[in-house]
């Protein structure tokens, strides 16, 4: 029997790392063009996109607008919170991207005028474009959970954007006394990386089991079902018996308000006081997407799944977490695949060719302890104006431990491959 038994005929999971590495760029035979492509946001989506554009047509004038000189990655940041990894392993510079001929402007885009095709920057300068790709990731909806605003995040970190928030949560867990309660508040979808709250709870449990074994984790959840539920629950039972309690939506887990002054979290059915409160609130597309007019009343950007063109604004494409085009999850893996497909579509459109039908592969590894991981993956293609999942795979529920060890290794290679692909 295969080490990884899958729910579909094709061995999707086993091929993930190889697929990410070998994703060849569709290579339209385009006329060499000096069109101006501006990309806003230098995360997994934007960084992958600018590199792909330059590879398809070196003559394109590609500009990346990103305020941070170093990108801090979310995947594996849960290991930073659990003290298993240094934050430096999450940081990537734009040097390789610059060396490849992309102009990188270290500014925030603050305005977009689709009529004149101009991006306004925080320093007052502006930049013209022929086509614009928005890849601003998510913003936290600070208006969605009573009591949770930017000030509250300094006391009850979300750590849903990696960096200072990640380190704050790590510090709070390190400072907590043995016997304390960590509450993780998980939002309803759609949200960035749906399995990540449960990976986080698992890795915090690993830290507590070693350092503060009388402590407890409560997950207050706005959902009933969670991704890879049986795999997570089995791992919790096996590795952290009695340590993690998940309160689902129908058991009263939906959080209705928080009070950062007392670290109190109120749900439909009662209230909890936490020593450490990790509140992951509802999210929306990065703010600039709304300023561009690309966001609808869901808070996300509807797109055409073949070209990633905004359904609301001309000459603007949206990729990564900010876009909404069907069942494809909000993950770094998806953002990277979308970025390449979008780059190919943009190059085709500029040269007057028909964009090819994309076929995207997304994969997500969940590490629940050192040397213990499982994964899920999917292949997505446009169908009826949205992305549909045409194949999916998941790790088997009853696999021996050595399979979890192998998947933990594969998770590490996946991270190396995807970050090298995005940042060089
Ligand atoms: C804890 C955690 C664990 C995760 N683990 C995984 C995992 O194991 N596998 C996986 O595939 N995914 C994982 N993810 C999800 C992954 O991090 C995101 O899906 C991915 O980063 C989305 O890429 P993006 O390019 O859309 O956004 P981002 O990577 O967030 O990049 C957005 C960029 O846009 C910039 N930006 C925003 N606004 C502006 C503006 N106005 N002007 C200029 N720049 C701007 C930001 O500074 C940022 O650099 C995880 C997420 C979390 C929170």
């Amino acid at each position: 029997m295969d080490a990884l038994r899958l729910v579909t005929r094709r061995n999707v999971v086993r091929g993930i790392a190889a697929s990410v590495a070998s994703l060849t760029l569709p290579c339209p035979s385009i006329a060499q063009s000096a069109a101006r492509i501006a990309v806003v946001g230098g995360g997994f989506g934007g960084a992958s996109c600018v590199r792909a554009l330059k590879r398809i047509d070196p003559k394109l004038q590609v500009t990346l607008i990103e305020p941070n000189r170093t990108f801090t990655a979310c995947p594996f940041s849960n290991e930073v919170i659990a003290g298993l990894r240094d934050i430096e392993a999450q940081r990537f510079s734009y040097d390789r991207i610059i060396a490849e001929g992309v102009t990188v402007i270290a500014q925030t885009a603050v305005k977009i005028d689709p009529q004149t095709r101009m991006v306004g920057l925080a320093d007052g300068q502006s930049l013209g474009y022929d086509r614009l790709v928005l890849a601003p990731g998510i913003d936290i909806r600070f208006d969605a959970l009573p009591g949770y605003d930017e000030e509250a995040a300094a006391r009850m970190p979300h750590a849903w954007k990696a960096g200072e928030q990640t380190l704050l949560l790590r510090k709070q867990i390190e400072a907590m006394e043995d016997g304390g309660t960590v509450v993780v508040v998980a939002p309803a979808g759609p949200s960035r990386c749906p399995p990540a709250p449960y990976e986080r709870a698992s890795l915090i449990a690993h830290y507590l089991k070693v350092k503060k074994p009388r402590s407890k984790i409560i997950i207050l959840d706005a959902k009933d079902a969670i991704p890879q539920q049986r795999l997570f629950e089995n791992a919790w039972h096996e590795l952290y018996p009695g340590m993690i309690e998940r309160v689902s939506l129908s058991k009263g887990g939906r959080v209705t308000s928080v009070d950062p002054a007392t670290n109190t979290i109120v749900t439909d059915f009662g209230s909890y006081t936490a020593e450490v409160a990790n509140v992951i609130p509802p999210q929306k597309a990065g703010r600039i997407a709304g300023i561009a007019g690309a966001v609808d009343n869901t808070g996300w950007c509807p797109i055409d799944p073949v070209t990633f063109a905004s359904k609301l604004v001309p000459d603007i494409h949206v990729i990564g977490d900010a876009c909404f085009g069907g069942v494809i999850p909000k993950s770094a893996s998806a953002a990277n695949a979308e970025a390449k497909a979008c780059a190919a579509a943009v190059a085709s459109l500029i040269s007057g060719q028909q964009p090819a039908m994309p076929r995207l592969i997304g994969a997500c590894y969940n590490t629940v302890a050192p040397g213990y991981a499982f994964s899920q993956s999917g292949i997505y293609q446009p169908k009826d104006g949205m992305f549909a999942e045409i194949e999916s795979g998941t790790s088997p529920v009853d696999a021996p431990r050595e399979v979890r060890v192998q998947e933990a290794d594969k998770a590490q290679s996946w991270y190396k491959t995807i970050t090298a692909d995005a940042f060089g």
Side-chain angles (χ1 to χ4, degrees):
M1 191 181 76
D2 273 345
L4 295 175
R5 180 155 45 81
L6 298 177
V7 295
T8 59
R9 277 176 291 123
R10 291 200 42 191
N11 195 337
V12 181
V13 172
R14 208 171 43 176
I16 293 162
S19 305
V20 171
S22 67
L23 272 181
T24 46
L25 292 167
C27 200
S29 57
I30 53 172
Q32 297 284 289
S33 161
R36 300 161 306 161
I37 318 292
V39 177
V40 172
F44 283 99
S48 306
C49 189
V50 292
R51 295 190 81 200
L53 284 163
K54 270 292 181 192
R55 264 180 262 155
I56 292 169
D57 182 354
K59 286 216 178 115
L60 288 172
Q61 294 180 50
V62 182
T63 303
L64 177 65
I65 302 164
E66 162 62 56
N68 302 303
R69 305 231 175 229
T70 319
F71 176 71
T72 309
C74 283
F76 278 84
S77 65
N78 286 332
E79 293 203 357
V80 176
I81 291 164
L84 295 167
R85 188 178 175 90
D86 200 88
I87 191 88
E88 285 312 314
Q90 302 300 114
R91 296 202 161 125
F92 300 89
S93 86
Y94 296 100
D95 292 351
R96 172 63 79 87
I97 287 173
I98 294 167
E100 287 172 351
V102 174
T103 304
V104 178
I105 302 180
Q107 284 291 321
T108 301
V110 292
K111 209 175 147 195
I112 287 167
D113 185 340
Q115 256 62 54
T116 56
R117 292 202 229 125
M118 297 291 279
V119 183
L121 305 176
D123 67 356
Q125 307 233 42
S126 53
L127 181 83
Y129 63 83
D130 297 307
R131 286 202 176 253
L132 176 67
V133 179
L134 294 179
I138 55 150
D139 264 336
I140 300 296
R141 283 182 55 198
F142 282 113
D143 57 350
L145 180 59
Y148 199 78
D149 54 16
E150 268 160 299
E151 229 172 272
R155 176 93 172 90
M156 302 172 129
H158 52 78
W160 224 234
K161 291 186 179 195
E164 288 312 311
Q165 281 274 307
T166 313
L167 294 174
L168 176 60
L169 183 55
R170 174 176 173 160
K171 228 185 338 186
Q172 289 186 352
I173 287 164
E174 280 172 354
M176 188 181 84
E177 305 243 316
D178 190 7
T181 300
V182 178
V183 175
V184 176
V185 176
S191 63
R192 163 172 280 185
C193 202
Y198 316 102
E199 179 190 73
R200 175 173 291 174
S202 310
L203 290 173
I204 293 174
H206 171 77
Y207 169 83
L208 296 176
K209 185 178 162 184
V210 175
K211 304 268 187 187
K212 298 162 191 182
R214 294 191 297 114
S215 309
K216 211 176 156 188
I217 299 171
I218 299 174
I219 304 169
L220 297 175
D221 210 328
K223 299 177 290 301
D224 273 328
I226 66 168
Q228 302 203 282
Q229 185 152 346
R230 281 188 62 203
L231 283 150
F232 274 113
E233 287 174 354
N234 288 356
W236 295 344
H237 185 70
E238 181 188 341
L239 303 172
Y240 313 118
M243 205 163 195
I244 300 176
E245 180 195 350
R246 176 174 167 265
V247 187
S248 64
L249 171 67
S250 46
K251 296 266 162 61
R254 190 177 69 97
V255 172
T256 52
S257 69
V258 298
D259 180 358
T262 54
N263 250 15
T264 304
I265 298 160
V266 181
T267 68
D268 282 334
F269 287 19
S271 72
Y272 297 76
T273 305
E275 271 67 44
V276 175
N278 170 212
V279 179
I280 306 164
Q283 298 137 47
K284 60 182 180 181
R287 189 165 172 266
I288 190 68
I291 292 171
V295 171
D296 69 10
N297 60 10
T298 64
W300 306 98
C301 304
I303 47 134
D304 172 285
V306 177
T307 60
F308 296 86
S310 164
K311 287 188 172 169
L312 304 177
V313 205
D315 305 316
I316 293 184
H317 302 249
V318 189
I319 56 172
D321 287 356
C323 77
F324 177 73
V327 296
I328 191 159
K330 298 188 184 302
S331 69
S333 195
N336 172 266
E338 291 166 12
K340 292 171 180 180
C342 176
V346 165
S348 294
L349 290 169
I350 284 169
S351 63
Q353 292 186 355
Q354 181 78 19
M357 185 71 85
R359 179 183 161 89
L360 308 184
I361 300 174
C364 190
Y365 288 90
N366 295 300
T367 304
V368 291
Y372 191 130
F374 42 82
S375 63
Q376 69 183 115
S377 63
I379 298 180
Y380 308 89
Q381 274 196 315
K383 196 176 168 216
D384 303 329
M386 298 284 249
F387 272 108
E389 189 173 63
I390 57 164
E391 275 186 40
S392 66
T394 183
S395 306
V397 169
D398 55 357
R401 188 61 182 266
E402 73 215 46
V403 173
R404 310 291 186 228
V405 174
Q406 284 165 14
E407 291 227 66
D409 289 345
K410 285 181 182 169
Q412 302 277 353
S413 346
W414 170 84
Y415 184 74
K416 277 196 196 125
T417 306
I418 200 141
T419 52
D421 203 55
F423 302 99

